[in-house]
mmCIF file of all heavy atoms in Angstrom:
data_model
loop_
_atom_site.group_PDB
_atom_site.id
_atom_site.type_symbol
_atom_site.label_atom_id
_atom_site.label_comp_id
_atom_site.label_asym_id
_atom_site.label_seq_id
_atom_site.Cartn_x
_atom_site.Cartn_y
_atom_site.Cartn_z
ATOM 1 N N ARG A 1 0.842 -1.232 0.020
ATOM 2 C CA ARG A 1 -0.033 -0.067 0.021
ATOM 3 C C ARG A 1 0.890 1.234 -0.041
ATOM 4 O O ARG A 1 0.507 2.277 -0.646
ATOM 5 C CB ARG A 1 -0.950 -0.045 1.214
ATOM 6 C CG ARG A 1 -2.056 -1.057 1.128
ATOM 7 C CD ARG A 1 -3.121 -0.875 2.182
ATOM 8 N NE ARG A 1 -3.747 0.359 1.935
ATOM 9 C CZ ARG A 1 -4.059 1.273 2.927
ATOM 10 N NH1 ARG A 1 -3.528 1.131 4.098
ATOM 11 N NH2 ARG A 1 -4.754 2.355 2.666
ATOM 12 N N ILE A 2 1.976 1.268 0.761
ATOM 13 C CA ILE A 2 2.837 2.437 0.686
ATOM 14 C C ILE A 2 3.370 2.626 -0.631
ATOM 15 O O ILE A 2 3.358 3.834 -1.120
ATOM 16 C CB ILE A 2 4.031 2.168 1.757
ATOM 17 C CG1 ILE A 2 3.574 1.997 3.112
ATOM 18 C CG2 ILE A 2 4.968 3.444 1.698
ATOM 19 C CD1 ILE A 2 4.603 1.413 4.071
ATOM 20 N N THR A 3 3.751 1.572 -1.302
ATOM 21 C CA THR A 3 4.279 1.666 -2.669
ATOM 22 C C THR A 3 3.275 2.265 -3.662
ATOM 23 O O THR A 3 3.680 3.211 -4.436
ATOM 24 C CB THR A 3 4.733 0.243 -3.193
ATOM 25 O OG1 THR A 3 5.687 -0.250 -2.355
ATOM 26 C CG2 THR A 3 5.205 0.332 -4.638
ATOM 27 N N GLY A 4 2.060 1.909 -3.470
ATOM 28 C CA GLY A 4 0.969 2.478 -4.371
ATOM 29 C C GLY A 4 0.793 3.912 -4.067
ATOM 30 O O GLY A 4 0.696 4.749 -4.965
ATOM 31 N N MET A 5 0.796 4.257 -2.735
ATOM 32 C CA MET A 5 0.563 5.746 -2.408
ATOM 33 C C MET A 5 1.740 6.586 -2.909
ATOM 34 O O MET A 5 1.522 7.694 -3.460
ATOM 35 C CB MET A 5 0.550 5.803 -0.885
ATOM 36 C CG MET A 5 -0.716 5.330 -0.243
ATOM 37 S SD MET A 5 -0.684 5.506 1.602
ATOM 38 C CE MET A 5 -2.281 4.776 2.071
ATOM 39 N N VAL A 6 3.022 6.212 -2.716
ATOM 40 C CA VAL A 6 4.084 6.872 -3.271
ATOM 41 C C VAL A 6 4.127 7.122 -4.691
ATOM 42 O O VAL A 6 4.428 8.143 -5.208
ATOM 43 C CB VAL A 6 5.396 6.337 -2.686
ATOM 44 C CG1 VAL A 6 6.632 6.999 -3.274
ATOM 45 C CG2 VAL A 6 5.509 6.371 -1.138
ATOM 46 N N GLU A 7 3.735 6.012 -5.380
ATOM 47 C CA GLU A 7 3.745 6.031 -6.806
ATOM 48 C C GLU A 7 2.656 7.084 -7.289
ATOM 49 O O GLU A 7 2.903 7.879 -8.155
ATOM 50 C CB GLU A 7 3.412 4.653 -7.399
ATOM 51 C CG GLU A 7 3.395 4.626 -8.900
ATOM 52 C CD GLU A 7 4.743 5.001 -9.561
ATOM 53 O OE1 GLU A 7 5.795 4.740 -8.856
ATOM 54 O OE2 GLU A 7 4.734 5.488 -10.696
ATOM 55 N N ARG A 8 1.505 7.004 -6.690
ATOM 56 C CA ARG A 8 0.373 8.036 -7.113
ATOM 57 C C ARG A 8 0.790 9.409 -6.694
ATOM 58 O O ARG A 8 0.467 10.378 -7.481
ATOM 59 C CB ARG A 8 -0.865 7.583 -6.407
ATOM 60 C CG ARG A 8 -1.479 6.317 -6.920
ATOM 61 C CD ARG A 8 -2.880 6.033 -6.526
ATOM 62 N NE ARG A 8 -2.955 5.824 -5.082
ATOM 63 C CZ ARG A 8 -2.853 4.712 -4.441
ATOM 64 N NH1 ARG A 8 -2.451 3.605 -5.171
ATOM 65 N NH2 ARG A 8 -2.971 4.570 -3.194
ATOM 66 N N LEU A 9 1.482 9.582 -5.588
ATOM 67 C CA LEU A 9 1.969 10.927 -5.230
ATOM 68 C C LEU A 9 2.897 11.455 -6.244
ATOM 69 O O LEU A 9 2.842 12.647 -6.656
ATOM 70 C CB LEU A 9 2.708 10.769 -3.850
ATOM 71 C CG LEU A 9 3.324 12.021 -3.266
ATOM 72 C CD1 LEU A 9 2.300 12.992 -2.742
ATOM 73 C CD2 LEU A 9 4.327 11.667 -2.120
ATOM 74 N N CYS A 10 3.890 10.601 -6.708
ATOM 75 C CA CYS A 10 4.818 11.090 -7.792
ATOM 76 C C CYS A 10 4.224 11.325 -9.084
ATOM 77 O O CYS A 10 4.515 12.294 -9.805
ATOM 78 C CB CYS A 10 5.908 10.027 -7.898
ATOM 79 S SG CYS A 10 7.010 9.905 -6.458
ATOM 80 N N GLN A 11 3.256 10.467 -9.439
ATOM 81 C CA GLN A 11 2.615 10.673 -10.755
ATOM 82 C C GLN A 11 1.777 11.962 -10.748
ATOM 83 O O GLN A 11 1.713 12.585 -11.843
ATOM 84 C CB GLN A 11 1.634 9.519 -11.004
ATOM 85 C CG GLN A 11 2.303 8.161 -11.412
ATOM 86 C CD GLN A 11 1.399 7.039 -11.422
ATOM 87 O OE1 GLN A 11 0.204 7.110 -11.120
ATOM 88 N NE2 GLN A 11 1.850 5.902 -11.949
ATOM 89 N N THR A 12 1.188 12.356 -9.669
ATOM 90 C CA THR A 12 0.270 13.542 -9.625
ATOM 91 C C THR A 12 1.097 14.775 -9.425
ATOM 92 O O THR A 12 0.878 15.799 -10.056
ATOM 93 C CB THR A 12 -0.703 13.316 -8.547
ATOM 94 O OG1 THR A 12 -1.399 12.145 -8.652
ATOM 95 C CG2 THR A 12 -1.689 14.477 -8.498
ATOM 96 N N PHE A 13 2.124 14.810 -8.645
ATOM 97 C CA PHE A 13 2.839 15.982 -8.187
ATOM 98 C C PHE A 13 4.262 16.087 -8.664
ATOM 99 O O PHE A 13 4.891 17.142 -8.531
ATOM 100 C CB PHE A 13 2.678 16.179 -6.658
ATOM 101 C CG PHE A 13 1.362 16.343 -6.174
ATOM 102 C CD1 PHE A 13 0.703 15.287 -5.593
ATOM 103 C CD2 PHE A 13 0.728 17.607 -6.200
ATOM 104 C CE1 PHE A 13 -0.583 15.440 -5.016
ATOM 105 C CE2 PHE A 13 -0.569 17.754 -5.724
ATOM 106 C CZ PHE A 13 -1.233 16.671 -5.158
ATOM 107 N N GLY A 14 4.863 14.972 -9.130
ATOM 108 C CA GLY A 14 6.226 15.058 -9.479
ATOM 109 C C GLY A 14 6.431 15.287 -11.022
ATOM 110 O O GLY A 14 5.525 15.088 -11.806
ATOM 111 N N PRO A 15 7.636 15.891 -11.356
ATOM 112 C CA PRO A 15 7.912 16.095 -12.784
ATOM 113 C C PRO A 15 7.997 14.806 -13.581
ATOM 114 O O PRO A 15 8.612 13.765 -13.121
ATOM 115 C CB PRO A 15 9.245 16.845 -12.714
ATOM 116 C CG PRO A 15 9.874 16.334 -11.474
ATOM 117 C CD PRO A 15 8.808 16.122 -10.478
ATOM 118 N N ARG A 16 7.428 14.774 -14.757
ATOM 119 C CA ARG A 16 7.474 13.655 -15.655
ATOM 120 C C ARG A 16 8.860 13.516 -16.234
ATOM 121 O O ARG A 16 9.381 14.508 -16.830
ATOM 122 C CB ARG A 16 6.475 13.655 -16.774
ATOM 123 C CG ARG A 16 6.288 12.386 -17.462
ATOM 124 C CD ARG A 16 5.209 12.593 -18.508
ATOM 125 N NE ARG A 16 4.788 11.297 -19.146
ATOM 126 C CZ ARG A 16 5.402 10.698 -20.149
ATOM 127 N NH1 ARG A 16 6.527 11.291 -20.668
ATOM 128 N NH2 ARG A 16 4.957 9.592 -20.682
ATOM 129 N N LEU A 17 9.575 12.417 -16.109
ATOM 130 C CA LEU A 17 10.873 12.236 -16.642
ATOM 131 C C LEU A 17 10.897 11.564 -17.975
ATOM 132 O O LEU A 17 11.464 12.162 -18.960
ATOM 133 C CB LEU A 17 11.720 11.388 -15.598
ATOM 134 C CG LEU A 17 11.869 11.985 -14.198
ATOM 135 C CD1 LEU A 17 12.653 11.017 -13.341
ATOM 136 C CD2 LEU A 17 12.570 13.352 -14.254
ATOM 137 N N LEU A 18 10.273 10.460 -18.139
ATOM 138 C CA LEU A 18 10.202 9.810 -19.445
ATOM 139 C C LEU A 18 9.252 8.556 -19.252
ATOM 140 O O LEU A 18 8.829 8.272 -18.172
ATOM 141 C CB LEU A 18 11.567 9.340 -19.928
ATOM 142 C CG LEU A 18 12.538 8.513 -19.007
ATOM 143 C CD1 LEU A 18 12.191 7.137 -18.965
ATOM 144 C CD2 LEU A 18 13.962 8.668 -19.452
ATOM 145 N N GLN A 19 9.013 7.903 -20.430
ATOM 146 C CA GLN A 19 8.228 6.773 -20.405
ATOM 147 C C GLN A 19 9.054 5.570 -21.042
ATOM 148 O O GLN A 19 9.618 5.725 -22.120
ATOM 149 C CB GLN A 19 6.960 6.924 -21.206
ATOM 150 C CG GLN A 19 6.035 5.710 -21.206
ATOM 151 C CD GLN A 19 4.589 5.997 -21.655
ATOM 152 O OE1 GLN A 19 4.112 7.102 -21.398
ATOM 153 N NE2 GLN A 19 4.017 5.087 -22.397
ATOM 154 N N LEU A 20 8.980 4.436 -20.423
ATOM 155 C CA LEU A 20 9.576 3.190 -20.978
ATOM 156 C C LEU A 20 8.483 2.242 -21.119
ATOM 157 O O LEU A 20 7.838 1.839 -20.213
ATOM 158 C CB LEU A 20 10.701 2.662 -20.004
ATOM 159 C CG LEU A 20 11.816 3.584 -19.667
ATOM 160 C CD1 LEU A 20 12.698 2.999 -18.584
ATOM 161 C CD2 LEU A 20 12.592 3.925 -20.918
ATOM 162 N N ASP A 21 8.361 1.674 -22.368
ATOM 163 C CA ASP A 21 7.196 0.775 -22.697
ATOM 164 C C ASP A 21 5.972 1.572 -22.298
ATOM 165 O O ASP A 21 5.725 2.658 -22.718
ATOM 166 C CB ASP A 21 7.386 -0.582 -22.001
ATOM 167 C CG ASP A 21 8.614 -1.305 -22.508
ATOM 168 O OD1 ASP A 21 8.835 -1.337 -23.721
ATOM 169 O OD2 ASP A 21 9.398 -1.794 -21.618
ATOM 170 N N ASP A 22 5.133 0.984 -21.426
ATOM 171 C CA ASP A 22 3.885 1.656 -21.026
ATOM 172 C C ASP A 22 4.072 2.268 -19.526
ATOM 173 O O ASP A 22 2.967 2.527 -18.927
ATOM 174 C CB ASP A 22 2.701 0.695 -21.095
ATOM 175 C CG ASP A 22 2.905 -0.520 -20.219
ATOM 176 O OD1 ASP A 22 4.040 -0.718 -19.664
ATOM 177 O OD2 ASP A 22 1.970 -1.235 -20.003
ATOM 178 N N VAL A 23 5.204 2.356 -19.037
ATOM 179 C CA VAL A 23 5.364 2.843 -17.740
ATOM 180 C C VAL A 23 5.976 4.282 -17.767
ATOM 181 O O VAL A 23 7.040 4.530 -18.368
ATOM 182 C CB VAL A 23 6.380 1.967 -16.960
ATOM 183 C CG1 VAL A 23 6.574 2.528 -15.462
ATOM 184 C CG2 VAL A 23 5.912 0.496 -16.928
ATOM 185 N N ALA A 24 5.235 5.257 -17.175
ATOM 186 C CA ALA A 24 5.783 6.624 -17.073
ATOM 187 C C ALA A 24 6.447 6.767 -15.736
ATOM 188 O O ALA A 24 5.963 6.364 -14.617
ATOM 189 C CB ALA A 24 4.614 7.590 -17.125
ATOM 190 N N TYR A 25 7.657 7.415 -15.799
ATOM 191 C CA TYR A 25 8.516 7.631 -14.610
ATOM 192 C C TYR A 25 8.475 9.107 -14.251
ATOM 193 O O TYR A 25 8.615 10.012 -15.113
ATOM 194 C CB TYR A 25 9.862 7.138 -14.814
ATOM 195 C CG TYR A 25 9.966 5.666 -14.853
ATOM 196 C CD1 TYR A 25 9.854 4.943 -16.079
ATOM 197 C CD2 TYR A 25 10.223 4.930 -13.699
ATOM 198 C CE1 TYR A 25 9.941 3.574 -16.146
ATOM 199 C CE2 TYR A 25 10.298 3.583 -13.754
ATOM 200 C CZ TYR A 25 10.197 2.888 -14.920
ATOM 201 O OH TYR A 25 10.228 1.452 -14.973
ATOM 202 N N HIS A 26 8.315 9.413 -12.936
ATOM 203 C CA HIS A 26 8.272 10.783 -12.414
ATOM 204 C C HIS A 26 9.288 10.934 -11.422
ATOM 205 O O HIS A 26 9.639 9.995 -10.624
ATOM 206 C CB HIS A 26 6.936 11.144 -11.869
ATOM 207 C CG HIS A 26 5.829 11.135 -12.871
ATOM 208 N ND1 HIS A 26 5.218 9.975 -13.447
ATOM 209 C CD2 HIS A 26 5.140 12.168 -13.496
ATOM 210 C CE1 HIS A 26 4.353 10.281 -14.239
ATOM 211 N NE2 HIS A 26 4.235 11.531 -14.325
#
């Protein structure tokens, strides 16, 4: 659950870095 929360936190408020395959990294 922590992993999911941190991931959603980054996706919503963090700068988008790039996308690999279908995964967006922030």
Side-chain angles (χ1 to χ4, degrees):
R1 291 190 67 229
I2 301 165
T3 298
M5 288 181 182
V6 172
E7 183 62 27
R8 293 190 294 275
L9 178 72
C10 293
Q11 289 174 350
T12 305
F13 296 99
R16 191 177 190 278
L17 300 177
L18 52 79
Q19 182 166 325
L20 302 176
D21 298 313
D22 60 348
V23 181
Y25 288 89
H26 295 75

